[in-house]
Amino acid sequence: MRTLARKPDVFALAGLAVAVVLTVTGCEGDGQSGIPTESPEPSAVESVEETTASAAAPTVVVGDVPGNPAATVALQAWTNDLVAGTDVVGRCWTIAPERARQMYADVDAITAAVQQPGRDGQYAVTWSAGGVDVSVLRSEIASGYACPYVNPTGAPGYTDEDARYAVERFLGRVIGAPVDPDDTEERYPLVCEARGTWDPWGTGNPGVPPLATDPDVLGDLDSFDAAAASVTPISEAYASVTIPIVEAGTPRDLVVLLTTGSNGYCLGAVD
């Protein structure tokens, strides 16, 4: 059983003791009148400014997203770390570590994609190249540091591991041990929105997801075993996660129903 515990140059002129005021024209040269001389060395100030500008410029520039500049800025922050060899898996705690490790392995494919113009879709912004899609959710963009999902073009955006990890994060919050201190419902929603579209069993009579109206239904949760969780597809749109828990001192299996929405997998009901 495991309980989690867990973005004006100055020139010095040598010569006669007569100060000569020089007028710089638009012609090439060293800025002195008379016979041209060798070009002067750049001042210390110029050298520092050029070095600083060079160091600050990203080696991979993320493509613009028409109408959504924040998406470019947020993915640029992540891309800078990826290219620099920073541990982006550790920083991207909204994604299961092993899933992130697999998605972020091909740096060349990712950097080729992100340099293309981004497309702003219904739920995510996507950059594509070479059969690879790099997509970021709106909650990630709002954070200022967008951890993307990387998938072959046309492949499903989310996997069973994403569903299982959404449950792990939710239950971690319930017992007071989120995967990260910033992992709150306000910043990174995990509960499905309170809209009348919830119908996991295909009854034809959709309603509001039960968790949307009662998100504190697991108030007596003591612990859970994330490593023992299993995922069962219900349909193309819905899945269930079965996970061992201890609730009010009693062990049992919890069944969580999920679907996908604007922030990836969301939890709609528990049993």
Side-chain angles (χ1 to χ4, degrees), residues 200-235:
W201 307 116
T203 65
N205 296 302
V208 174
L211 266 183
T213 57
D214 187 12
D216 300 323
V217 66
L218 295 173
D220 293 329
L221 182 66
D222 299 320
S223 62
F224 62 92
D225 189 354
S230 61
V231 181
T232 302
I234 297 175
S235 66

Side-chain angles (χ1 to χ4, degrees), residues 47-176:
S47 298
V48 171
E49 288 178 346
E50 290 175 1
T51 301
T52 302
S54 176
T59 57
V60 174
V61 179
V62 174
D64 291 335
V65 182
N68 194 348
T72 302
V73 172
L75 185 60
Q76 184 71 66
W78 178 86
T79 300
N80 291 346
D81 280 350
L82 178 72
V83 173
T86 302
D87 179 20
V88 291
V89 172
R91 295 202 63 178
C92 292
W93 48 262
T94 55
I95 299 173
E98 185 56 35
R99 170 93 156 109
R101 196 170 290 111
Q102 293 170 355
M103 290 194 299
Y104 301 162
D106 193 341
V107 175
D108 290 342
I110 292 171
T111 54
V114 301
Q115 293 180 79
Q116 304 305 310
R119 306 185 309 277
D120 201 343
Q122 181 180 7
Y123 293 147
V125 177
T126 302
W127 293 257
S128 302
V132 173
D133 286 349
V134 178
S135 301
V136 292
L137 301 173
R138 304 208 181 281
S139 56
E140 294 286 335
I141 295 170
S143 75
Y145 188 90
C147 296
Y149 284 87
V150 182
N151 293 295
T153 299
Y158 305 109
T159 66
D160 288 355
E161 180 63 11
D162 297 318
R164 187 204 61 77
Y165 191 61
V167 173
E168 178 180 345
R169 288 173 56 200
F170 178 81
L171 297 182
R173 294 174 182 177
V174 173
I175 65 172

